[in-house]
Amino acid sequence: MPSKRAMETSPFSAMDVLERASEREGVVHMEVGEPDIEPPAAATEAAIASLREGNLDYTSSRGKPELRKSIADYYDRTYGVDVPPERIIVTPGSSPALLVTMLTTVNPGEEVVLTDPYYAPYPNFVRQADGRVSTVTLDPGRDFEPRVEDFEAQVTDETAAMMLNSPANPTGAVMSGDTIAELVHLAERTGTRVISDEIYHGLAYDAPEHSVLEYTDEAFVLDGVSKRYGMTGWRLGWVVAPPDEVEAFNRLVQNVLICAPNFVQDGARAAIETEPSWLDDARETYRERRDLLLDAARRWGIDMGYTPAGAYYLLLDVSDLPGDAFEVADVFLEEANVAMTPGPDFGSMAEDTLRASYATSTEDIELAIDRLDDLLSEFTAETHLSRS
Ligand SMILES: Cc1ncc(COP(=O)(O)O)c(C=O)c1O
């Protein structure tokens, strides 16, 4: 019998939908957050060269010094903040880093405050650290910008951390610098940690992005090469830890992760050192796709009245369509060959939604829109969608 902890870990619907969608022909995949951009060529070349040089052994658990230096330079160049490489620990992707962060920060029974909607695995990570989840609900009418007073109402003596994610999955919302600054201030007043998942940084279209590191050193900041450089399968992330918690974090990394793959670290360094303008075209393409999809959602009457300013997700309100979000996702897949993720995984505020990812090609998005035009017009003629 698997442990209670394992049994309480919920599956990730996006992966379930992907599995089912992959069994069909001609599906437009809008269920996963897999960027369709090619990594910088220099990254591939550096990784291959490093592999050929035989860099196949373990590295320090903290990561190669050259990579940590180049991550520190990235923070200086991008946000004008001085992050000493000693506070940076490289990990095999940011997902295990999230778990290790929870294990470092949460004592059994303590709480982590999440925004709702949240990235689906967050509550699982909190529970795996024997923590409890509390939530702050976000309102699409405010572009999913958190209210500081809502966080304040959730913070108690038992709160270990508040978790921020901007640009956010699943909403695509980008938090303002003022809100981040106020939340940091709240954390300082209440002795709460801030954990900031910045994996979508670099992918903001209409709003400036701010790193929590602009406001404090006392935060765990997670990032990596997956989204910004289109390098999901390379499995390379990092954490910037507060000065007093780096050593504890590293002890867990030594035991659980050992290190990120050696030659991948060299490829990642080349990606991070790529000219920032490299991303301009990709960003513009994402913005155009977002507008295409948002226009269609408005026409279908399933938009939520907000414009996602970053990442590559749009939440759609499907409460007026027959069936629950899982059933609507089934109908989209089976009748229109369009795969989207049912919202309930992302929290109670996303219960009646689907998450559409526009990280797929523009042609595919146009195809999905045509197919859904047909399906939803049949629905409005009340002839097609059926409650199962
Ligand atoms: C908000 C968020 N954080 C973390 C991750 C995990 O990224 P990585 O590939 O670095 O494990 C994802 C992946 O979709 C994500 O959406």
Side-chain angles (χ1 to χ4, degrees), residues 93-95 98 119 122 165 169 197 199-200 226-227 235 313:
S94 67
S95 300
L98 274 163
Y119 174 50
Y122 289 161
N165 172 218
N169 182 359
D197 179 345
I199 194 83
Y200 291 99
S226 285
K227 311 290 178 171
R235 308 311 303 133
Y313 304 109

Side-chain angles (χ1 to χ4, degrees), residues 26-40:
V27 172
V28 176
H29 290 278
M30 303 180 80
E31 74 279 37
V32 280
E34 188 84 60
D36 69 328
I37 52 173
E38 288 294 317

